[in-house]
Structure formats: C-alpha cells, structure tokens
Amino acid sequence: MNWEILGIWLGALVTLCLYSFLYRDNPFYKFAEHLFVGMSAGYWVIYTIENVLKPNWWQQMFPEGGGFNWVWVIPGIFALFMLARIIPKIAGLSRMALGMIIGAGAGLNMVAFFQTNAMAQVKGTILSLSSGGVWDIFSNIVLVVGVVSGLVYFFFSKAHTGIFGKAANVGITILMIAFGASFGYTIMARISLLIGRCQFLLEDWLPTIPRLLGLGG
Amino acid sequence: MASIFEKLGNTDRRIIFILIALAVIIPIITHLTFPNPVGAEPSRDMYEYVDAMPSGCNVLLSFDYDPSTMPELQPMAVAIVTHLMNKDINIVGMALWPQGASLGQEVMSSVADSLGKVQYEDWCNLGYKTGGGIMIVRLGSSMSAVFPTDRDNLPWEEIPMLEYISDLSSFDLVISLSAGDPGIPAWVMMAGDRFGVPVGGGCTAVSAPQFYTYLQTGQMVGMLGGLKGAADYETLVGIEGGPAVRGMAPQSVAHLVIMLFIVIGNVAYLSEKKKGGRG
C-alpha cells in the first residue's frame, strides 16, 4: 500500500464516519469529529506561526541580512496584550490591542464599505423607466418597485394599512422571492458538496479495493 | 385515517437522506449527463470579458477558498486558468485564504504542464498573505512590499514576468474565487471601487445571491455562481467531461427529489390544515 492509497482510505473512512451521523449519533461520528477538531487546531497553530508570524513579524524584526528593527517589538507587545485576556488581573490590556484592530479596521473600511455597499447600490437603483427596450423598461420597473416596496416593509413608524400596507405587502412578496432564490442556491451548494464526496468515494476510493485485493484494476 | 399525503408528510428524515444519496449516486455510476445550455448569464459575461482581452494582459487570480469548497471552486479555477492560458494572458496567483495558495498551485501547475506554459514567464504564485481587505489596499501602492518573495521564496526581482508589475493598476483584471470572507466583497471594495481595477470572480452557490447586486451596478464584470457557474465556464471554454459538467446531472436529479418533497410537504400541510389540524 502506497501513501496515496493510504490517504484515499483515510479520507474515505472519515467521510463515512461523518455521514453515519445522518442515521444517528454514534461513536464513529464522535471519533471523526474529535479527530477533525484536534487536527484543525494543531494545523492552524503551526500554519499561523509559519505563514503569518514568521514572515510578517519575526523576519521583519530580524531581517536576513542581520540587524534588529526595534519598531517591530511594538506589534509583538500588542499581540501579548491579546493573550492578557486569560489572566483576569491584567485582562484590560487586551482592550488596547482590540481597540487598535477595531480602529484601524473601521477607519480603512468604513468609507469604502459605505461607498461599495450603499452608495453604489443606491446609484444602481436610479434607473430610467422610459428608455431602452420593453424588457429593459420592465426590468427597471421591477427593480425600482422592488427596492422601494422592500424599504417600505421595513418602515415601522407607520402602521402597515391602506396604500402603505399594500406597498409593504408587495415588499414582503419581493423579499420572499429573494429568499426563495437564496434557498435554491443554498440547496445547490450543499448538494455540490455531497456530489464532491460521492465522486471521491465512487471514483477514487472504490477502484482501490480490487487493487488491494489483488484483483487487478 | 391518515391520507397518503399526511403519511408522506411524516416520512422519516433518514428515508429522505437515502433518496437524496441515491439521486446523487445513481447518475454518477451511470455516467448520466444532461445538456448544459449557457444563456445570457453572469458566467457568459465573465467568459466574454476574458475572451475579449488581448494576449499579454496581466490577470491577478486570487484563490480565496479552502478544501471544504473544492467541489464548487476547483472546477472553476481549472476552467478559468485554462481559458487565460489559452489566451496567452499572464497569471499572477495569490490567496487571501491560507490553503488557497496550495490549491491554486495545483491548478496552475497542472494546466500549465498540459498547455506547455512556463512558471515565472507565463504564470507565478505569490502565495498566501494575511490581512484581507487591508492587505489589498497595500497592494494598491506596492505589490513587492506585500510579496517580497513568491510562494517558493523566490525573490520578486528574480521573477521575469513581474518586471513590469508594480501595483494593482498593473493588472487588467482581478479574479477572485471566493468561498467567503475575505473574498469577492474585499476585492470589489478595495481593488474595484478604490483603485478602479475591473473585478470578476466565482463563488460558492451559498454566497452567489448577495453578489448579484455587484453585477447589476457594474462593480463586477461577471460571476460564476456555484457548480452551475463552473459548468457554464467549462462548457464555454470547451472542456470535455469536466467535473462540474459531470456534476450537473446528479445536481439536477437531487433538485428534482427535493422539489418533490417540498410539494409533498406542502400538500400534507394544507391537507392537515383543511382538517383543522394546524392553524
């Protein structure tokens, strides 16, 4: 048995252990679950040290050519502050590190996020309802009516009665259609993952059985 | 006495699991294939945008996913890399997700080998870098500052194809294959809206609906959504019997089974409601 076949068998057995949960909770599932959690934790610790801490911090502080960049001590101290959360007496120090992360993140992202996800979307809703072909006009009307009525549904300072209530009803209908589309996509995603596993079991794993039994193939 | 629909409405969930499993397994075993027509969809927009690019252009291809979403995103990666390499477009690979760098390397090296493309002349892999959107902002001012070496620790200056690449503006297109955050939203926000680089991409089906707004506003040039998007691109590029196209038959059969159970569930619900069983 070579390493490739061993890998395929391990993958197949763990896959079957995990799918056994669909029948009911059992020791095989628990084993696979604990194996995954343990391996993931170990993997990410090493990966973070090797691919994040070493290149982005350690090698900046101690460059290959020699020397010592003292400025990189500062992020190191802030990183230690994050770990202060596990010692109640000095847990407050972690807030300094968190404050820096949140401040930098908010400063860099706030305007860009608003521009991309609010302003550009509002601009995209300001459409001509009279130019273009019949289908374009119809699409634009659906889009504008959908956005406006959807917003009306989430306006709670006025009772949803009369014309306002009818607009809110159109809004919730549009929202339901959108949720239905999202649900359809979600089903497709989950089935795709199942297809991936089934293709692995049927096309990669099953053909190895006759080979192991010396039946050719 | 309970009607047939009420009995079906109370079907044990394990029977449904078995039927879904059979709906997937049988088409795979029997090599069932369905035609995959590609209409005026975001995947065609993506294909046509890439197809219109002249040879020698530079594309930044970001592999922002990990093995858990490989069934959807790896076929997309293969199809896009095949298309780009067929068009003699230079590919600079990178990843916002740690394991994306390895998956990208696997795709680019295998496709390059089959098409006779040379690493560091036609394609390269800069590897993974942490930071998400903030890192992309830094790419806007200097690529080599973020990636002093490639994934295999070869210095930036020693990679011939990177000679004329300085920052994000050196690229004619950014493509993100995205399984979540960081991914397409970060690229659209920073590379697209902030630095004006056209952005396209592929994503898992779960996240596809939220990106349709970027298509409508022109913030993305095209998009491949889930396995269907991957199958569309395989069809358009002309990849025979690709994994995504093969996956569409079990996908369709499984959808039919699910639709059937949705109908049965609703009929059972309405039948019970008619009898006064449920409000």
Side-chain angles (χ1 to χ4, degrees):
Chain A
M1 180 186 281
N2 62 28
W3 289 110
E4 192 190 347
I5 291 184
L6 183 67
I8 290 172
W9 269 79
L10 276 175
L13 291 178
V14 174
T15 301
L16 293 173
C17 285
L18 286 168
Y19 277 135
S20 69
F21 184 77
L22 295 175
Y23 179 66
R24 69 177 176 207
D25 203 358
N26 64 75
F28 296 107
Y29 171 76
K30 286 280 183 218
F31 166 74
E33 188 185 34
H34 292 163
L35 186 72
F36 178 74
V37 172
M39 282 187 67
S40 294
Y43 178 84
W44 286 113
V45 167
I46 300 300
Y47 202 98
T48 305
I49 291 170
E50 289 294 323
N51 293 280
V52 179
L53 283 179
K54 272 173 95 171
N56 297 321
W57 178 63
W58 188 257
Q59 286 170 6
Q60 305 290 333
M61 195 158 60
F62 297 104
E64 271 186 14
F68 172 64
N69 285 336
W70 65 270
V71 75
W72 287 93
V73 173
I74 299 170
I77 291 171
F78 273 90
L80 288 175
F81 281 179
M82 290 288 277
L83 298 175
R85 288 179 71 84
I86 54 179
I87 306 167
K89 271 189 179 174
I90 54 167
L93 286 174
S94 66
R95 291 185 184 174
M96 289 173 68
L98 281 173
M100 191 141 179
I101 292 169
I102 292 168
L108 276 163
N109 281 314
M110 197 185 284
V111 175
F113 190 89
F114 187 71
Q115 170 63 32
T116 300
N117 296 303
M119 295 306 291
Q121 304 309 318
V122 171
K123 195 177 162 192
T125 317
I126 302 169
L127 299 164
S128 168
L129 300 182
S130 58
S131 62
V134 177
W135 180 247
D136 290 332
I137 292 171
F138 175 74
S139 295
N140 292 350
I141 288 171
V142 169
L143 200 145
V144 172
V145 169
V147 170
V148 172
S149 57
L151 289 172
V152 165
Y153 177 76
F154 286 105
F155 191 79
F156 300 117
S157 300
K158 184 171 165 41
H160 288 183
T161 52
I163 299 255
F164 198 77
K166 281 177 183 160
N169 281 342
V170 173
I172 191 66
T173 307
I174 298 275
L175 286 171
M176 287 299 167
I177 292 169
F179 294 150
S182 277
F183 178 69
Y185 262 117
T186 305
I187 295 274
M188 184 162 86
R190 302 302 175 229
I191 295 293
S192 299
L193 299 183
L194 176 63
I195 291 167
R197 283 294 81 195
C198 287
Q199 282 177 335
F200 167 73
L201 290 172
L202 297 169
E203 295 171 2
D204 295 337
W205 175 58
L206 276 186
T208 65
I209 296 175
R211 281 170 66 189
L212 284 176
L213 296 173
L215 299 173
Chain B
M1 190 180 158
S3 73
I4 181 81
F5 281 112
E6 284 171 32
K7 281 181 184 168
L8 283 170
N10 294 321
T11 305
D12 189 325
R13 63 191 173 91
R14 284 169 287 202
I15 292 172
I16 300 173
F17 294 151
I18 289 170
L19 289 174
I20 293 289
L22 290 175
V24 170
I25 290 167
I26 291 170
I28 293 175
I29 292 174
T30 56
H31 301 290
L32 183 69
T33 50
F34 289 151
N36 183 50
V38 187
E41 294 168 32
S43 39
R44 181 176 284 281
D45 295 338
M46 179 81 189
Y47 173 82
E48 286 177 353
Y49 192 92
V50 172
D51 210 50
M53 291 170 76
S55 61
C57 283
N58 297 312
V59 166
L60 183 64
L61 183 52
S62 189
F63 298 88
D64 307 328
Y65 60 99
D66 63 12
S68 66
T69 48
M70 269 179 78
E72 289 181 280
L73 295 171
Q74 198 77 340
M76 279 181 204
V78 172
I80 287 173
V81 168
T82 304
H83 192 200
L84 292 170
M85 287 186 174
N86 274 334
K87 295 273 306 170
D88 291 324
I89 291 170
N90 302 319
I91 304 173
V92 177
M94 58 164 284
L96 299 181
W97 286 41
Q99 291 159 316
S102 309
L103 297 173
Q105 181 76 17
E106 194 181 306
V107 171
M108 289 191 289
S109 62
S110 63
V111 177
D113 288 347
S114 65
L115 296 175
K117 298 291 174 183
V118 182
Q119 188 174 12
Y120 302 127
E121 287 179 18
D122 303 306
W123 68 278
C124 67
N125 188 358
L126 299 177
Y128 160 72
K129 189 62 75 173
T130 186
I134 294 170
M135 188 268 288
I136 298 172
V137 175
R138 188 73 177 104
L139 294 180
S141 54
S142 172
M143 291 280 292
S144 58
V146 179
F147 292 105
T149 63
D150 81 333
R151 182 174 172 268
D152 301 322
N153 287 323
L154 189 70
W156 177 281
E157 300 76 26
E158 292 179 23
I159 300 173
M161 67 175 292
L162 298 179
E163 189 182 352
Y164 300 107
I165 288 174
S166 55
D167 54 37
L168 278 180
S169 64
S170 308
F171 291 98
D172 302 281
L173 176 67
V174 170
I175 299 174
S176 168
L177 298 174
S178 158
D181 186 34
I184 285 177
W187 284 108
V188 169
M189 207 158 62
M190 300 306 182
D193 290 354
R194 186 160 175 164
F195 294 106
V197 185
V199 176
C203 59
T204 55
V206 169
S207 51
Q210 64 175 302
F211 300 141
Y212 269 84
T213 52
Y214 293 149
L215 293 167
Q216 194 264 327
T217 55
Q219 289 166 289
M220 283 180 76
V221 299
M223 183 183 76
L224 313 181
L227 198 68
K228 167 68 178 152
D232 286 351
Y233 215 89
E234 281 182 354
T235 305
L236 291 165
V237 173
I239 297 174
E240 295 285 336
V245 170
R246 280 191 290 122
M248 285 313 289
Q251 181 82 252
S252 304
V253 177
H255 279 215
L256 283 173
V257 172
I258 290 168
M259 282 156 65
L260 184 71
F261 275 105
I262 289 173
V263 170
I264 289 171
N266 278 280
V267 171
Y269 171 78
L270 291 172
S271 161
E272 206 173 318
K273 193 178 173 186
K274 202 175 171 185
K275 284 185 180 174
R278 287 187 195 181

